[in-house]
Amino acid sequence: MANIDAPFGLNPVEKIGSGPSQKMSEYKIAASEDAIFQGDAVMPDSGFIQQAEPANDLLGVFWGCKFDDPTTNKPTFKNQYATTTAVADAFVYDDPYQVFEIQGTSGTASQQTDIMSSNEIVTTNGSTSTGVSAMELKMTSMQAPGAAQLNIIGFSGNSERNQIDAAGHAVYKVVIAEHVYSNV
């Protein structure tokens, strides 16, 4: 059975090494920033964060935010940041040893030799109805480990999403190779 094409951005699944996994830290999103969806990779932006772009160091993965709604003046929690005039507190998985799952792009077969290679994220807008990211892992022109944003360390444990075949869309386990905290 072929893998389904249903991107979801980056989903935290485990951690390399010991210690507590899946801890989030708070960062600020500037008022009127472009949309950020749950599962989007994010990068620093002048003391704030924004949706990441290919070839930039990553801070981590956005998982939701809170802000005072400018219309109701009430605290609001969402799994996405839609452009608003309010500054928001973002929750980000920022541990350099956090392992994530991400779907590979269309049109490229998945293969065992993808393991221990790296590549960039492919940015796209997520779903405004679910708030979930649509970022994927670029599967063409694979690079040496550490030469791009994400290092592939394996395939998903989900038997319906880890088929190594010509159809592509496999879900990979990755770590952030180009992490802003990797040299701290």
Side-chain angles (χ1 to χ4, degrees):
M1 183 164 120
N3 298 311
I4 60 171
D5 182 12
F8 52 85
L10 291 125
N11 188 22
V13 292
E14 58 193 49
K15 183 179 170 186
I16 293 177
S18 62
S21 63
Q22 301 183 352
K23 178 183 174 298
M24 292 182 278
S25 298
E26 284 189 40
Y27 297 89
K28 298 282 187 193
I29 303 172
S32 303
E33 182 62 64
D34 291 338
I36 306 173
F37 298 89
Q38 184 179 62
D40 275 354
V42 293
M43 63 186 200
D45 178 29
S46 303
F48 296 94
I49 64 165
Q50 67 178 32
Q51 184 186 58
E53 299 168 356
N56 286 286
D57 285 353
L58 304 177
L59 174 64
V61 174
F62 176 83
W63 210 249
C65 64
K66 66 179 179 181
F67 57 92
D68 289 334
D69 186 294
T71 305
T72 64
N73 291 322
K74 292 185 178 185
T76 304
F77 294 84
K78 293 197 171 204
N79 68 339
Q80 68 183 11
Y81 174 83
T83 302
T84 178
T85 57
V87 171
D89 294 318
F91 305 106
V92 177
Y93 287 105
D94 62 355
D95 186 336
Y97 297 102
Q98 181 70 51
V99 177
F100 299 95
E101 287 186 342
I102 185 171
Q103 176 180 293
T105 54
S106 304
T108 303
S110 54
Q111 44 195 329
Q112 187 64 35
T113 55
D114 293 339
I115 309 302
M116 295 303 158
S117 58
S118 68
N119 219 327
E120 305 292 328
I121 56 170
V122 175
T123 59
T124 185
N125 285 330
S127 168
T128 55
S129 61
T130 66
V132 175
S133 173
M135 280 189 176
E136 294 180 286
L137 176 63
K138 182 178 175 184
M139 295 310 301
T140 57
S141 308
M142 297 304 273
Q143 300 177 49
Q149 289 173 313
L150 301 175
N151 280 344
I152 299 171
I153 62 170
F155 288 94
S156 171
N158 181 339
S159 61
E160 294 182 12
R161 301 293 309 266
N162 65 3
Q163 301 302 310
I164 301 174
D165 60 26
H169 307 299
V171 174
Y172 295 88
K173 285 186 177 182
V174 299
V175 292
I176 297 174
E178 295 177 345
H179 199 292
V180 296
Y181 293 147
S182 63
N183 294 320
V184 175

